[in-house]
Amino acid sequence: MKQKILVIGAGITGVCIAEALRRADQSVTLVDRMRPGDPAQTSYGNAGILAREAIAPILDQAMISQIPKWLLSKDSPVNIKWSYLFKLMPWAIPVLRNAMKDRIPQTMQAMNNLIYDTVDQHINFTKGTNAAAFIQKGEFIFLYPQKTNYLSDIYINDLKKSLGVQWIERDFAELKERDPALGDSYKFGAAFQNHGWLTDPAGYVASIANHFTANGGTFIEKEVVDIGPDRVTFKGGKEHIANTIILATGAWSQKLARTFGHKIPLQGERGYHIMLSNPSHKPDQPYMVTDAKYGLTPMADGLRCAGTTEFAPLDTAASKSPIDYLERSIKQVYPDLTWDGKGTWMGSRPTLADSLPMFGRTKSAPNVIYAFGGQHLGITMGPKVGQIIRDIALDKPTNIDLSPYAVDRFD
């Protein structure tokens, strides 16, 4: 039976859900206060990497010892607005608990189930659409200052290997042979296989949305300010009625979900990028600069350097220090790099305390479905999430265990 389904949020998660449901012959409306691909969306400014390897939680034991140094240093990939510390603690404390060794394997298995086939998922999902042209396949190389830094990740790497992640070790000579422009700050690499990236993440999201509307889907550019069991209220007071309402508004989901009773330890991790136009060099594939915690991705419009984490209220203006940090850091990778122009950006990644997303019907209003919490991996898991939420909305069985992502797991 055809349902009237409303999807709130037109980032990568929302557009994939809406398109998956449209293909299932449902009457689907997608709503957002901005158009898909808008620079204010988190989907706009990410590193664009289809990160099959990224199954570890956002924090593990090897990172915990680095936290004091990161927070106290002015030259750090992690920053905090100290006035925000008290509000951060209800999220930060369970994040630390979930970094313990007894919890990490279960988290990694649950994440692996979502992203192990990310490149194939994206290729299959966009087949026959203009979005397919944005996908590139290749290696994703982690750069380490020394091999000892790589070996310090042995516990996580062993778990990755057990879950099918594959990589090739590369010494400094091999890295330089493939990319002579590299400086000498990074002398060891791990080249992860079966990866991909997007040459324009915003264009990719917009292209999927355009395909959705060109083939019968509806997009409404309005802000949702309240959700009920069978309707939403737009800013200005107008209501929209639907059989099923899907909440996919990323870091802003907690506020809209407040009436349904579930505990949602969701934090917007503010990430930054610099986009270098007409750079003197672009690598053939993306890099992850492991000590500086950012990705370096060749894109259609230049070279994107994206990463860092800042903890601050969602509505706080962007900071200058993460941008300066990224610009200094890129010179450690490419000392001789020049460029004609530089664009900057900031967005908030939606991260739950156990590093896993939240999927499912709410207990108090079963017509409302949660679909948020993709942390740094919203692009990576987008098409798979679209299929999962489609099956939940249509009461169809899924082919993976959904209990790790349950909406009531923090209650």
Side-chain angles (χ1 to χ4, degrees):
M1 183 177 71
K2 181 174 285 193
Q3 299 183 47
K4 289 184 177 180
I5 299 176
L6 182 69
V7 181
I8 311 171
I12 185 63
T13 301
V15 298
C16 287
I17 292 168
E19 176 60 9
L21 283 162
R22 183 201 65 78
R23 294 177 187 181
D25 196 32
Q26 302 302 302
S27 176
V28 187
T29 299
L30 179 65
V31 60
D32 201 315
R33 60 191 172 91
M34 60 195 74
R35 299 197 67 80
D38 188 280
Q41 287 189 323
T42 301
S43 297
Y44 175 91
N46 57 77
I49 299 166
L50 307 182
R52 184 269 175 271
E53 60 74 32
I55 58 177
I58 60 163
L59 185 69
D60 60 50
Q61 287 189 317
M63 297 180 194
I64 289 175
S65 62
Q66 300 292 313
I67 292 175
K69 181 181 77 172
W70 285 339
L71 293 181
L72 297 174
S73 172
K74 292 183 178 180
D75 193 40
S76 167
V78 180
N79 296 277
I80 185 171
K81 299 286 187 184
W82 289 105
S83 59
Y84 187 64
L85 181 62
F86 181 75
K87 290 185 177 180
L88 182 68
M89 295 312 291
W91 176 84
I93 291 171
V95 168
L96 288 168
R97 286 200 299 264
N98 282 294
M100 298 297 103
K101 277 191 174 182
D102 62 325
R103 300 194 182 193
I104 288 177
Q106 293 89 343
T107 299
M108 292 179 68
Q109 178 66 70
M111 187 57 76
N112 192 62
N113 289 342
L114 295 177
I115 68 174
Y116 74 92
D117 57 350
T118 174
V119 177
D120 288 342
Q121 287 285 334
H122 278 268
I123 289 171
N124 292 334
F125 189 74
T126 59
K127 191 175 296 182
T129 77
N130 293 332
F134 294 97
I135 302 172
Q136 294 289 312
K137 294 175 67 176
E139 295 180 333
F140 179 29
I141 300 178
F142 277 37
L143 294 176
Y144 296 88
Q146 302 287 344
K147 187 172 182 177
T148 53
N149 303 105
Y150 162 76
L151 293 174
S152 70
D153 287 341
I154 190 168
Y155 175 69
I156 294 295
N157 284 340
D158 283 349
L159 287 172
K160 286 183 178 181
K161 191 171 292 185
S162 73
L163 291 168
V165 179
Q166 300 175 345
W167 65 93
I168 299 169
E169 296 180 10
R170 296 235 169 97
D171 62 22
F172 185 54
E174 291 173 308
L175 291 172
K176 287 284 284 185
E177 181 182 0
R178 288 169 169 78
D179 191 351
L182 285 173
D184 60 4
S185 295
Y186 296 95
K187 294 183 169 61
F188 192 80
F192 287 89
Q193 308 299 293
N194 306 314
H195 276 64
W197 68 96
L198 304 177
T199 58
D200 179 359
Y204 184 73
V205 172
S207 186
I208 295 172
N210 289 340
H211 186 81
F212 165 76
T213 55
N215 289 276
T218 300
F219 175 73
I220 298 175
E221 190 173 354
K222 289 184 180 294
E223 181 178 357
V224 174
V225 296
D226 192 42
I227 304 176
D230 63 351
R231 68 193 62 208
V232 303
T233 304
F234 297 133
K235 188 175 182 179
K238 186 176 180 180
E239 293 186 334
H240 184 101
I241 296 173
N243 304 114
T244 299
I245 298 167
I246 299 169
L247 180 59
T249 51
W252 289 265
S253 298
Q254 189 177 41
K255 181 179 180 181
L256 287 172
R258 66 189 180 276
T259 60
F260 299 110
H262 296 296
K263 292 181 180 178
I264 305 173
L266 181 69
Q267 172 63 38
E269 289 186 76
R270 289 152 56 100
Y272 289 76
H273 87 213
I274 57 175
M275 187 72 172
L276 306 178
S277 60
N278 195 25
S280 57
H281 175 74
K282 287 198 293 185
D284 291 334
Q285 78 299 301
Y287 287 118
M288 170 57 68
V289 186
T290 57
D291 59 335
K293 305 298 181 188
Y294 69 88
L296 193 59
T297 311
M299 292 191 174
D301 292 336
L303 183 61
R304 179 171 293 183
C305 178
T308 75
T309 294
E310 183 182 46
F311 297 108
L314 280 175
D315 56 356
T316 304
S319 302
K320 185 175 183 293
S321 57
I323 296 296
D324 293 341
Y325 172 80
L326 288 172
E327 190 164 350
R328 287 193 303 272
S329 297
I330 197 172
K331 283 290 191 175
Q332 296 298 310
V333 179
Y334 290 128
D336 299 323
L337 187 71
T338 61
W339 53 86
D340 289 345
K342 179 185 73 177
T344 65
W345 174 90
M346 183 274 292
S348 293
R349 313 176 190 100
T351 304
L352 286 150
D354 60 0
S355 299
L356 296 174
M358 185 170 279
F359 305 145
R361 297 182 182 276
T362 67
K363 303 302 180 183
S364 60
N367 291 340
V368 177
I369 297 172
Y370 289 171
F372 52 80
Q375 39 119 327
H376 302 229
L377 301 171
I379 285 281
T380 298
M381 65 176 70
K384 177 71 71 71
V385 173
Q387 294 168 46
I388 289 170
I389 302 303
R390 173 202 63 198
D391 291 344
I392 292 172
L394 302 182
D395 293 319
K396 292 184 175 181
T398 60
N399 58 4
I400 65 171
D401 175 17
L402 295 182
S403 61
Y405 327 108
V407 300
D408 60 354
R409 67 185 190 270
F410 298 106
D411 294 353

